[in-house]
Amino acid sequence: KDIEYIRSYYFNKKEDTRFSSSVGKYVGFTEQGVKYAANWNKDASKLSAMKAQKEVYCLNHVQIDYNNIL
């Protein structure tokens, strides 16, 4: 429940746009990033695919990573 999937997009070493599973949508941090986020948030299939990444990537690997740390 405490796991969050974050995917960030950078341009010229500045974070432009980010998807966060806790927010459930893209957020822009620059003028261009806000435009990208608005367009990507309109695409329901893109949002559902990103939301599924939390389960596909994070939840399937957390136990393996946790066991390796211990």
Side-chain angles (χ1 to χ4, degrees), residues 3-20:
I3 297 172
E4 181 179 12
Y5 175 77
I6 296 174
R7 184 165 184 178
S8 297
Y9 300 87
Y10 290 83
F11 182 75
N12 285 340
K13 298 182 181 181
K14 290 185 180 179
E15 188 173 24
D16 199 36
T17 312
R18 176 191 301 169
F19 176 84
S20 171

Side-chain angles (χ1 to χ4, degrees), residues 19 24-26 40-56:
F19 176 84
K25 66 179 184 174
Y26 289 91
W40 293 341
N41 287 331
K42 290 178 188 175
D43 187 351
S45 64
K46 188 171 188 75
L47 282 178
S48 64
M50 290 303 290
K51 290 176 184 177
Q53 289 300 308
K54 177 180 177 181
E55 186 172 334
V56 169

